[in-house]
Amino acid sequence: MNRLDDSVAVVTGAAGVFGTAIATRYAEEGAALVLTDIDETRLQDTAKAIEAVAAVPITAFVADLTDPVDVTRLFEHTDETYGRIDVLINNAGAALRSPLVFHNDADWHRMLRINLDTVFYCSRQAVRRMLPRRSGRIVNVASALGLTGGADEVAYATAKAAVLGFTRSVAQEVGRRGICVNAICPTLADSGVSRAYFGGFDVDIRAVAGYLARRAAMPRPIAPDDVADIAVFLGARESAYLNGQAILVGGVG
């Protein structure tokens, strides 16, 4: 028996590196999937790749999750397709590297919309469906920077810190009703977000990730599968009494 048999999971940001890894592991563990991303081409490619390795129901839904109307459509699609949702993976996100004095208003609000508003809109829809069943899991992919902060990354780190506050608050609100809400806080990995984050800078992401891993007393930088493994654990039965936690992936800070 697989760990996620008879589960329905919605994975946001599914076309990204972490999203693809999480969705693939969920499919391998038996979950039916709703994959969503704003990038239609990459989303369809991701769905086809997962279908090639796992015989589970998969549907792909293109959506801009910063738009609450699109989010409503996504969850109505999930209702029509599967009739319920058991796990929500809030993985959609984006990063920006810039000193505070050069942050403009648009940058600030964009980081909050993509990294925080999407979590709020999707979680609100998921909880509305989970409460009547008194069962469900929400997994928010945050960041180690949400725990530590970081120079030249004020907007991104602030948004991810807010995700952690949101995680703890919603966990307290719905935990007694059978819904667990937790967060994953990855350190630096060679992901799409990281590549965009360092865009325009002469930076070797793998070298930086290796340095951070050594500083954290870990043998290597984190890989997408490390995050996916934690996401499976948080969606599976064995984490039933884990709630409101921020799990740092990649060693000590």
Side-chain angles (χ1 to χ4, degrees), residues 9-244:
V10 174
V11 182
T12 76
V17 173
F18 286 155
T20 298
I22 292 169
T24 301
R25 288 283 286 112
Y26 263 66
E28 291 170 345
E29 291 290 349
L33 296 175
V34 177
L35 308 180
T36 185
D37 201 284
I38 198 169
D39 187 328
E40 182 174 7
T41 300
R42 292 176 61 206
L43 179 62
Q44 294 296 340
D45 289 344
T46 298
K48 291 176 183 177
I50 296 173
E51 287 173 338
V53 299
V56 296
I58 299 174
T59 180
F61 190 90
V62 179
D64 175 1
L65 301 182
T66 66
D67 181 352
V69 174
D70 259 18
V71 174
T72 297
R73 291 175 52 244
L74 166 66
F75 281 85
E76 288 175 346
H77 170 77
T78 303
D79 293 339
E80 293 166 1
T81 305
Y82 298 117
R84 71 178 200 278
I85 175 175
D86 299 294
V87 184
L88 168 64
I89 307 290
N90 278 314
N91 173 68
L96 172 71
R97 181 177 174 84
S98 174
L100 175 62
V101 293
F102 296 121
H103 261 34
N104 58 45
D105 293 354
D107 290 339
W108 173 260
H109 291 295
R110 176 174 172 269
M111 286 296 99
L112 294 179
R113 284 199 313 274
I114 296 174
N115 293 296
L116 181 59
D117 289 359
T118 59
V119 173
F120 167 68
Y121 293 144
C122 290
S123 297
R124 180 173 60 182
Q125 291 287 343
V127 168
R128 286 172 177 169
R129 289 157 171 81
M130 292 172 177
L131 281 174
R133 300 179 63 236
R134 300 186 70 85
S135 176
R137 305 291 174 82
I138 296 176
V139 180
N140 298 322
V141 179
S143 169
L145 292 176
L147 295 166
T148 64
D152 297 334
E153 41 215 356
V154 172
Y156 177 74
T158 298
K160 291 300 189 179
V163 169
L164 298 182
F166 179 88
T167 298
R168 297 184 182 106
S169 297
V170 178
Q172 292 180 36
E173 182 175 321
V174 301
R176 293 177 183 174
R177 298 180 175 94
I179 303 169
C180 295
V181 186
N182 293 287
I184 303 173
C185 300
T187 52
L188 183 67
D190 186 9
S191 67
V193 169
S194 296
R195 288 191 289 272
Y197 173 77
F198 285 111
F201 294 85
D202 185 17
V203 173
D204 183 337
I205 295 174
R206 294 182 181 179
V208 175
Y211 163 75
L212 293 174
R214 291 191 296 274
R215 194 181 72 176
M218 299 297 284
R220 59 165 175 79
I222 68 168
D225 282 347
D226 297 322
V227 175
D229 288 342
I230 300 299
V232 169
F233 168 70
L234 292 174
R237 299 173 185 85
E238 55 261 42
S239 65
Y241 260 68
L242 201 65
N243 195 29

